[in-house]
Amino acid sequence: MRRFKKAIAVISAAACASCISGCTPTEAVSSGLLRDIYKDVFRIGAAVMPYSLDKYENILPHFNSITAENSMKWRVTEPSEGKYDYTDGDALVEWANAHDTAVRGHCLLWYKSLPAWVSGKAADRESALEIIDERVAQTIGHFGSSIYAWDVVNEALCNTVTSDMLESGEFYRTNVSGAGVVDWYALCGFDFIERAFVAAADARSALGLDFDLYYNDYGLNNPNKREACVRLVERLRNNDVPIDGVGMQAHYKLSDYLADKDGFMREFENSIVAFTELGVDVQITELDIRVYANKDEPQRFDKLPLDVETAQAEMFGRIFEICRKYASPHRVGTGKVTGITTWGVADANNAQNSAMHKEYPLLFSIESTPKKAYYSIIDF
């Protein structure tokens, strides 16, 4: 028997927020707060910016986890070597502590969004590994027990992994350049990934903290990239390097789903199975569903059409349904799905919006009201 019926009354976000405290479990569920509906399943999160805390004060009570969209990236926290600025990250943590909300750390090491000084300092393998050590230890030391999971390494795999890459084993991101970019793989090979996880685990142990270490990437529902990620995790494990989970970013296009609905969901589920079979957990870390097939398409509508919104809701519903299926280990020794985070709070602030069009990719509308997608994920 389904826990919730499609006939559930439309509850405004403001009404939901009014029941964030002081109500019985039945009242909390009837309020429609996602954090209460999913309290026995997994965490429900959103990526936020500091301005989100006031702008979306009526929606944020839905979430019991937040991810710093940009505020904890290296470019922000250490703009000049040795000169740290945690102002924005601390503001998110302070808000989270006051609102009984957990914080995911994003991210300790990425090839992008780096302060300019890093590319000059990372002149060779040894210098690169040394500054990775310092970055990881300093950041974990600052935020301490405020973080329940860190994306330790972000996007170390190639955008697209081919069969030839799998055969050769050369599927790691390299040949990257530009402002705020460092080619970690060219400097260090696989050692940069291993070093970041070792440094994070060492800091965790030394400080007596309890947080999970994640590898985070996009396109992991693609079979070849999934296999590359499996090999990455296995290599870390074989070298006795701690890793607790894989973050599947899940920046998806509605058109890809509509082209082959069952095939799309099958590969999504296959990835969850593949990663949890390794004994690590999975989180969907950056979920959004874009309604345009290409980023350069001109705006075709000023309001999300009913048929498009309905199809998007169906896709959201199926993603959540699969994740609920693996919210407990599917056999002894496997991992599980421990959370879903949308990349933004409402359609108005999602990073996928472009100069050409709005993408309408989240659970809450531009007007900050629940969309059909919201109702699709509570219908279980």
Short mmCIF file of all heavy atoms in Angstrom, two decimals, residues 85-136:
data_model
loop_
_atom_site.label_atom_id
_atom_site.label_comp_id
_atom_site.label_asym_id
_atom_site.label_seq_id
_atom_site.Cartn_x
_atom_site.Cartn_y
_atom_site.Cartn_z
N ASP A 85 39.78 32.33 3.61
CA ASP A 85 38.51 33.05 3.75
C ASP A 85 37.38 32.03 3.75
O ASP A 85 36.98 31.54 2.69
CB ASP A 85 38.34 34.06 2.61
CG ASP A 85 37.09 34.90 2.78
OD1 ASP A 85 36.31 34.65 3.73
OD2 ASP A 85 36.87 35.81 1.95
N TYR A 86 36.89 31.73 4.93
CA TYR A 86 35.81 30.75 5.07
C TYR A 86 34.46 31.42 5.37
O TYR A 86 33.53 30.77 5.85
CB TYR A 86 36.14 29.77 6.20
CG TYR A 86 37.39 28.95 5.93
CD1 TYR A 86 38.57 29.21 6.61
CD2 TYR A 86 37.37 27.90 5.01
CE1 TYR A 86 39.71 28.44 6.39
CE2 TYR A 86 38.50 27.14 4.77
CZ TYR A 86 39.68 27.42 5.47
OH TYR A 86 40.79 26.66 5.23
N THR A 87 34.37 32.69 5.06
CA THR A 87 33.18 33.46 5.44
C THR A 87 31.90 32.83 4.94
O THR A 87 30.96 32.59 5.71
CB THR A 87 33.28 34.90 4.90
OG1 THR A 87 34.49 35.51 5.37
CG2 THR A 87 32.09 35.73 5.37
N ASP A 88 31.84 32.53 3.63
CA ASP A 88 30.61 31.99 3.06
C ASP A 88 30.32 30.57 3.55
O ASP A 88 29.17 30.24 3.88
CB ASP A 88 30.67 32.01 1.53
CG ASP A 88 30.55 33.41 0.96
OD1 ASP A 88 30.23 34.33 1.73
OD2 ASP A 88 30.79 33.57 -0.26
N GLY A 89 31.36 29.75 3.61
CA GLY A 89 31.17 28.39 4.10
C GLY A 89 30.71 28.37 5.55
O GLY A 89 29.83 27.59 5.92
N ASP A 90 31.30 29.23 6.37
CA ASP A 90 30.91 29.30 7.77
C ASP A 90 29.46 29.76 7.92
O ASP A 90 28.75 29.30 8.83
CB ASP A 90 31.83 30.26 8.53
CG ASP A 90 33.22 29.68 8.76
OD1 ASP A 90 33.39 28.45 8.60
OD2 ASP A 90 34.14 30.46 9.09
N ALA A 91 29.02 30.66 7.04
CA ALA A 91 27.64 31.13 7.10
C ALA A 91 26.66 29.98 6.83
O ALA A 91 25.62 29.87 7.49
CB ALA A 91 27.42 32.25 6.10
N LEU A 92 27.02 29.11 5.89
CA LEU A 92 26.16 27.96 5.59
C LEU A 92 26.13 26.99 6.78
O LEU A 92 25.07 26.47 7.14
CB LEU A 92 26.66 27.24 4.34
CG LEU A 92 26.68 28.05 3.04
CD1 LEU A 92 27.10 27.14 1.87
CD2 LEU A 92 25.35 28.69 2.74
N VAL A 93 27.30 26.75 7.36
CA VAL A 93 27.37 25.84 8.51
C VAL A 93 26.58 26.40 9.69
O VAL A 93 25.83 25.66 10.37
CB VAL A 93 28.83 25.59 8.90
CG1 VAL A 93 28.92 24.89 10.26
CG2 VAL A 93 29.53 24.76 7.83
N GLU A 94 26.72 27.69 9.94
CA GLU A 94 25.99 28.31 11.05
C GLU A 94 24.48 28.18 10.85
O GLU A 94 23.75 27.85 11.78
CB GLU A 94 26.39 29.79 11.17
CG GLU A 94 25.71 30.51 12.32
CD GLU A 94 26.13 31.97 12.43
OE1 GLU A 94 26.95 32.41 11.60
OE2 GLU A 94 25.62 32.67 13.33
N TRP A 95 24.03 28.44 9.62
CA TRP A 95 22.59 28.30 9.32
C TRP A 95 22.16 26.85 9.53
O TRP A 95 21.11 26.58 10.12
CB TRP A 95 22.31 28.74 7.89
CG TRP A 95 20.87 28.64 7.52
CD1 TRP A 95 19.92 29.62 7.60
CD2 TRP A 95 20.19 27.47 7.03
NE1 TRP A 95 18.70 29.14 7.20
CE2 TRP A 95 18.83 27.82 6.85
CE3 TRP A 95 20.58 26.17 6.73
CZ2 TRP A 95 17.88 26.91 6.38
CZ3 TRP A 95 19.64 25.26 6.27
CH2 TRP A 95 18.29 25.63 6.10
N ALA A 96 22.95 25.92 9.02
CA ALA A 96 22.60 24.50 9.12
C ALA A 96 22.49 24.06 10.57
O ALA A 96 21.56 23.34 10.96
CB ALA A 96 23.63 23.65 8.38
N ASN A 97 23.43 24.49 11.41
CA ASN A 97 23.39 24.12 12.82
C ASN A 97 22.14 24.65 13.50
O ASN A 97 21.57 24.00 14.39
CB ASN A 97 24.64 24.65 13.53
CG ASN A 97 25.90 23.92 13.15
OD1 ASN A 97 25.85 22.79 12.67
ND2 ASN A 97 27.06 24.54 13.35
N ALA A 98 21.71 25.84 13.08
CA ALA A 98 20.53 26.45 13.69
C ALA A 98 19.23 25.84 13.19
O ALA A 98 18.17 26.06 13.79
CB ALA A 98 20.53 27.95 13.41
N HIS A 99 19.30 25.06 12.09
CA HIS A 99 18.09 24.52 11.49
C HIS A 99 18.11 22.99 11.41
O HIS A 99 17.42 22.42 10.56
CB HIS A 99 17.89 25.12 10.09
CG HIS A 99 17.55 26.59 10.11
ND1 HIS A 99 18.53 27.56 10.23
CD2 HIS A 99 16.36 27.24 10.05
CE1 HIS A 99 17.95 28.76 10.23
NE2 HIS A 99 16.64 28.59 10.13
N ASP A 100 18.88 22.37 12.27
CA ASP A 100 18.92 20.90 12.35
C ASP A 100 19.14 20.27 10.98
O ASP A 100 18.44 19.34 10.57
CB ASP A 100 17.60 20.39 12.97
CG ASP A 100 17.66 18.91 13.31
OD1 ASP A 100 18.77 18.40 13.55
OD2 ASP A 100 16.59 18.25 13.32
N THR A 101 20.12 20.80 10.27
CA THR A 101 20.41 20.37 8.91
C THR A 101 21.89 19.98 8.80
O THR A 101 22.76 20.68 9.32
CB THR A 101 20.09 21.51 7.91
OG1 THR A 101 18.70 21.84 8.02
CG2 THR A 101 20.40 21.10 6.48
N ALA A 102 22.16 18.87 8.12
CA ALA A 102 23.52 18.40 7.94
C ALA A 102 24.16 19.10 6.73
O ALA A 102 23.47 19.66 5.88
CB ALA A 102 23.53 16.90 7.74
N VAL A 103 25.49 19.03 6.64
CA VAL A 103 26.22 19.71 5.57
C VAL A 103 27.14 18.72 4.86
O VAL A 103 27.92 18.01 5.50
CB VAL A 103 27.07 20.88 6.10
CG1 VAL A 103 27.78 21.60 4.96
CG2 VAL A 103 26.19 21.86 6.88
N ARG A 104 27.02 18.68 3.52
CA ARG A 104 27.98 17.94 2.68
C ARG A 104 29.07 18.90 2.26
O ARG A 104 28.79 20.01 1.81
CB ARG A 104 27.33 17.39 1.40
CG ARG A 104 26.41 16.21 1.60
CD ARG A 104 26.05 15.58 0.24
NE ARG A 104 27.00 14.53 -0.13
CZ ARG A 104 27.96 14.66 -1.00
NH1 ARG A 104 28.15 15.80 -1.65
NH2 ARG A 104 28.77 13.65 -1.27
N GLY A 105 30.31 18.47 2.35
CA GLY A 105 31.42 19.31 1.92
C GLY A 105 31.73 19.10 0.44
O GLY A 105 31.90 17.97 0.00
N HIS A 106 31.79 20.18 -0.32
CA HIS A 106 32.04 20.10 -1.76
C HIS A 106 32.92 21.28 -2.16
O HIS A 106 32.49 22.42 -2.05
CB HIS A 106 30.72 20.16 -2.52
CG HIS A 106 30.87 20.13 -4.01
ND1 HIS A 106 31.13 18.97 -4.70
CD2 HIS A 106 30.80 21.11 -4.94
CE1 HIS A 106 31.20 19.23 -5.99
NE2 HIS A 106 31.01 20.52 -6.16
N CYS A 107 34.07 20.99 -2.69
CA CYS A 107 34.79 19.73 -2.73
C CYS A 107 36.23 20.03 -2.37
O CYS A 107 36.68 21.15 -2.48
CB CYS A 107 34.69 19.11 -4.14
SG CYS A 107 35.23 20.25 -5.45
N LEU A 108 36.97 19.00 -1.94
CA LEU A 108 38.35 19.23 -1.52
C LEU A 108 39.30 19.40 -2.69
O LEU A 108 40.18 20.25 -2.65
CB LEU A 108 38.80 18.06 -0.63
CG LEU A 108 38.11 17.98 0.73
CD1 LEU A 108 38.52 16.70 1.45
CD2 LEU A 108 38.42 19.21 1.58
N LEU A 109 39.14 18.60 -3.74
CA LEU A 109 40.07 18.69 -4.87
C LEU A 109 39.34 18.53 -6.19
O LEU A 109 38.63 17.54 -6.41
CB LEU A 109 41.15 17.61 -4.75
CG LEU A 109 42.31 17.73 -5.75
CD1 LEU A 109 43.10 19.01 -5.52
CD2 LEU A 109 43.24 16.53 -5.65
N TRP A 110 39.52 19.52 -7.06
CA TRP A 110 38.94 19.54 -8.40
C TRP A 110 39.99 20.14 -9.31
O TRP A 110 40.88 20.86 -8.86
CB TRP A 110 37.66 20.39 -8.37
CG TRP A 110 36.78 20.32 -9.58
CD1 TRP A 110 36.67 19.32 -10.49
CD2 TRP A 110 35.82 21.31 -9.98
NE1 TRP A 110 35.72 19.62 -11.43
CE2 TRP A 110 35.18 20.83 -11.13
CE3 TRP A 110 35.44 22.56 -9.46
CZ2 TRP A 110 34.19 21.56 -11.81
CZ3 TRP A 110 34.46 23.27 -10.11
CH2 TRP A 110 33.83 22.77 -11.27
N TYR A 111 39.89 19.87 -10.59
CA TYR A 111 40.86 20.45 -11.51
C TYR A 111 40.50 21.89 -11.87
O TYR A 111 41.32 22.63 -12.43
CB TYR A 111 40.98 19.59 -12.78
CG TYR A 111 39.81 19.71 -13.75
CD1 TYR A 111 39.89 20.51 -14.89
CD2 TYR A 111 38.64 19.01 -13.53
CE1 TYR A 111 38.83 20.61 -15.78
CE2 TYR A 111 37.58 19.09 -14.41
CZ TYR A 111 37.67 19.89 -15.53
OH TYR A 111 36.61 19.99 -16.40
N LYS A 112 39.28 22.30 -11.53
CA LYS A 112 38.80 23.65 -11.84
C LYS A 112 38.55 24.44 -10.56
O LYS A 112 38.73 23.94 -9.46
CB LYS A 112 37.49 23.56 -12.65
CG LYS A 112 37.66 22.98 -14.03
CD LYS A 112 36.31 22.73 -14.71
CE LYS A 112 35.56 24.00 -15.00
NZ LYS A 112 34.31 23.71 -15.78
N SER A 113 38.14 25.68 -10.75
CA SER A 113 37.78 26.58 -9.65
C SER A 113 38.89 26.69 -8.62
O SER A 113 38.66 26.69 -7.41
CB SER A 113 36.48 26.10 -8.98
OG SER A 113 35.90 27.13 -8.23
N LEU A 114 40.13 26.82 -9.15
CA LEU A 114 41.30 26.94 -8.29
C LEU A 114 41.79 28.38 -8.26
O LEU A 114 41.67 29.11 -9.25
CB LEU A 114 42.42 26.04 -8.83
CG LEU A 114 42.11 24.54 -8.88
CD1 LEU A 114 43.19 23.81 -9.67
CD2 LEU A 114 41.98 23.98 -7.49
N PRO A 115 42.36 28.81 -7.14
CA PRO A 115 42.98 30.14 -7.12
C PRO A 115 44.19 30.17 -8.05
O PRO A 115 44.84 29.14 -8.28
CB PRO A 115 43.39 30.30 -5.66
CG PRO A 115 43.48 28.92 -5.11
CD PRO A 115 42.48 28.10 -5.87
N ALA A 116 44.47 31.33 -8.61
CA ALA A 116 45.53 31.45 -9.61
C ALA A 116 46.88 30.98 -9.11
O ALA A 116 47.68 30.42 -9.86
CB ALA A 116 45.61 32.90 -10.09
N TRP A 117 47.15 31.16 -7.83
CA TRP A 117 48.48 30.83 -7.31
C TRP A 117 48.79 29.34 -7.36
O TRP A 117 49.95 28.93 -7.40
CB TRP A 117 48.65 31.36 -5.89
CG TRP A 117 47.76 30.72 -4.86
CD1 TRP A 117 46.54 31.14 -4.45
CD2 TRP A 117 48.04 29.52 -4.11
NE1 TRP A 117 46.02 30.29 -3.50
CE2 TRP A 117 46.92 29.29 -3.27
CE3 TRP A 117 49.10 28.62 -4.08
CZ2 TRP A 117 46.84 28.21 -2.41
CZ3 TRP A 117 49.04 27.54 -3.22
CH2 TRP A 117 47.93 27.33 -2.40
N VAL A 118 47.74 28.48 -7.37
CA VAL A 118 47.96 27.04 -7.31
C VAL A 118 48.70 26.53 -8.55
O VAL A 118 49.60 25.70 -8.45
CB VAL A 118 46.62 26.29 -7.12
CG1 VAL A 118 46.82 24.78 -7.28
CG2 VAL A 118 46.04 26.59 -5.74
N SER A 119 48.32 27.02 -9.72
CA SER A 119 48.96 26.54 -10.94
C SER A 119 50.44 26.89 -10.97
O SER A 119 51.26 26.14 -11.52
CB SER A 119 48.25 27.12 -12.18
OG SER A 119 48.30 28.53 -12.16
N GLY A 120 50.81 28.01 -10.37
CA GLY A 120 52.22 28.38 -10.30
C GLY A 120 52.97 27.56 -9.28
O GLY A 120 54.14 27.22 -9.48
N LYS A 121 52.32 27.22 -8.20
CA LYS A 121 52.97 26.47 -7.11
C LYS A 121 53.11 24.99 -7.45
O LYS A 121 54.09 24.34 -7.06
CB LYS A 121 52.14 26.64 -5.84
CG LYS A 121 52.78 26.09 -4.57
CD LYS A 121 53.94 26.97 -4.12
CE LYS A 121 54.56 26.44 -2.83
NZ LYS A 121 53.77 26.75 -1.64
N ALA A 122 52.13 24.44 -8.18
CA ALA A 122 52.16 23.02 -8.54
C ALA A 122 53.03 22.83 -9.77
O ALA A 122 52.55 22.55 -10.87
CB ALA A 122 50.74 22.51 -8.78
N ALA A 123 54.33 22.94 -9.57
CA ALA A 123 55.26 22.92 -10.71
C ALA A 123 55.66 21.50 -11.11
O ALA A 123 56.04 21.26 -12.26
CB ALA A 123 56.50 23.73 -10.36
N ASP A 124 55.59 20.57 -10.17
CA ASP A 124 55.99 19.19 -10.45
C ASP A 124 55.23 18.26 -9.52
O ASP A 124 54.41 18.71 -8.71
CB ASP A 124 57.50 19.01 -10.28
CG ASP A 124 58.00 19.52 -8.93
OD1 ASP A 124 57.29 19.35 -7.92
OD2 ASP A 124 59.11 20.08 -8.87
N ARG A 125 55.50 16.97 -9.63
CA ARG A 125 54.74 15.99 -8.87
C ARG A 125 54.81 16.26 -7.38
O ARG A 125 53.77 16.28 -6.69
CB ARG A 125 55.26 14.58 -9.18
CG ARG A 125 54.57 13.47 -8.41
CD ARG A 125 55.19 12.11 -8.72
NE ARG A 125 54.55 11.04 -7.96
CZ ARG A 125 54.83 10.75 -6.70
NH1 ARG A 125 55.78 11.45 -6.07
NH2 ARG A 125 54.20 9.78 -6.08
N GLU A 126 55.99 16.41 -6.83
CA GLU A 126 56.14 16.55 -5.39
C GLU A 126 55.48 17.81 -4.86
O GLU A 126 54.80 17.79 -3.82
CB GLU A 126 57.61 16.51 -4.99
CG GLU A 126 58.24 15.13 -5.13
CD GLU A 126 57.44 14.06 -4.41
OE1 GLU A 126 57.05 14.29 -3.25
OE2 GLU A 126 57.22 12.97 -4.99
N SER A 127 55.67 18.92 -5.56
CA SER A 127 55.05 20.17 -5.09
C SER A 127 53.54 20.09 -5.18
O SER A 127 52.82 20.59 -4.31
CB SER A 127 55.58 21.37 -5.89
OG SER A 127 55.30 21.23 -7.27
N ALA A 128 53.02 19.43 -6.23
CA ALA A 128 51.58 19.28 -6.38
C ALA A 128 51.00 18.45 -5.24
O ALA A 128 49.97 18.81 -4.64
CB ALA A 128 51.24 18.64 -7.72
N LEU A 129 51.64 17.35 -4.92
CA LEU A 129 51.14 16.49 -3.85
C LEU A 129 51.22 17.18 -2.49
O LEU A 129 50.34 17.00 -1.64
CB LEU A 129 51.93 15.18 -3.82
CG LEU A 129 51.74 14.26 -5.04
CD1 LEU A 129 52.66 13.04 -4.93
CD2 LEU A 129 50.29 13.82 -5.18
N GLU A 130 52.24 18.00 -2.30
CA GLU A 130 52.38 18.71 -1.03
C GLU A 130 51.25 19.72 -0.83
O GLU A 130 50.70 19.84 0.27
CB GLU A 130 53.73 19.42 -0.97
CG GLU A 130 54.90 18.48 -0.72
CD GLU A 130 56.24 19.19 -0.79
OE1 GLU A 130 56.24 20.45 -0.90
OE2 GLU A 130 57.28 18.51 -0.72
N ILE A 131 50.89 20.44 -1.88
CA ILE A 131 49.82 21.42 -1.70
C ILE A 131 48.45 20.76 -1.62
O ILE A 131 47.53 21.30 -1.00
CB ILE A 131 49.84 22.53 -2.79
CG1 ILE A 131 49.63 21.97 -4.19
CG2 ILE A 131 51.13 23.32 -2.73
CD1 ILE A 131 49.47 23.08 -5.22
N ILE A 132 48.33 19.57 -2.21
CA ILE A 132 47.10 18.79 -2.01
C ILE A 132 46.97 18.42 -0.54
O ILE A 132 45.91 18.58 0.07
CB ILE A 132 47.08 17.54 -2.90
CG1 ILE A 132 46.85 17.93 -4.37
CG2 ILE A 132 45.99 16.57 -2.44
CD1 ILE A 132 47.02 16.78 -5.34
N ASP A 133 48.05 17.92 0.05
CA ASP A 133 48.05 17.57 1.47
C ASP A 133 47.61 18.77 2.32
O ASP A 133 46.77 18.63 3.23
CB ASP A 133 49.45 17.15 1.92
CG ASP A 133 49.83 15.77 1.44
OD1 ASP A 133 48.94 15.01 1.01
OD2 ASP A 133 51.04 15.44 1.50
N GLU A 134 48.19 19.92 2.02
CA GLU A 134 47.91 21.11 2.82
C GLU A 134 46.46 21.56 2.65
O GLU A 134 45.79 21.91 3.62
CB GLU A 134 48.87 22.24 2.43
CG GLU A 134 48.72 23.48 3.31
CD GLU A 134 49.76 24.53 2.99
OE1 GLU A 134 50.71 24.23 2.25
OE2 GLU A 134 49.60 25.66 3.48
N ARG A 135 45.99 21.57 1.41
CA ARG A 135 44.61 21.97 1.14
C ARG A 135 43.61 21.08 1.89
O ARG A 135 42.68 21.58 2.55
CB ARG A 135 44.35 21.89 -0.37
CG ARG A 135 42.90 21.68 -0.80
CD ARG A 135 41.99 22.83 -0.48
NE ARG A 135 40.64 22.58 -0.99
CZ ARG A 135 39.59 23.34 -0.75
NH1 ARG A 135 39.72 24.42 0.00
NH2 ARG A 135 38.41 23.05 -1.25
N VAL A 136 43.81 19.79 1.81
CA VAL A 136 42.88 18.85 2.42
C VAL A 136 42.91 18.98 3.94
O VAL A 136 41.86 19.09 4.60
CB VAL A 136 43.20 17.40 1.99
CG1 VAL A 136 42.38 16.40 2.79
CG2 VAL A 136 42.95 17.23 0.50
#
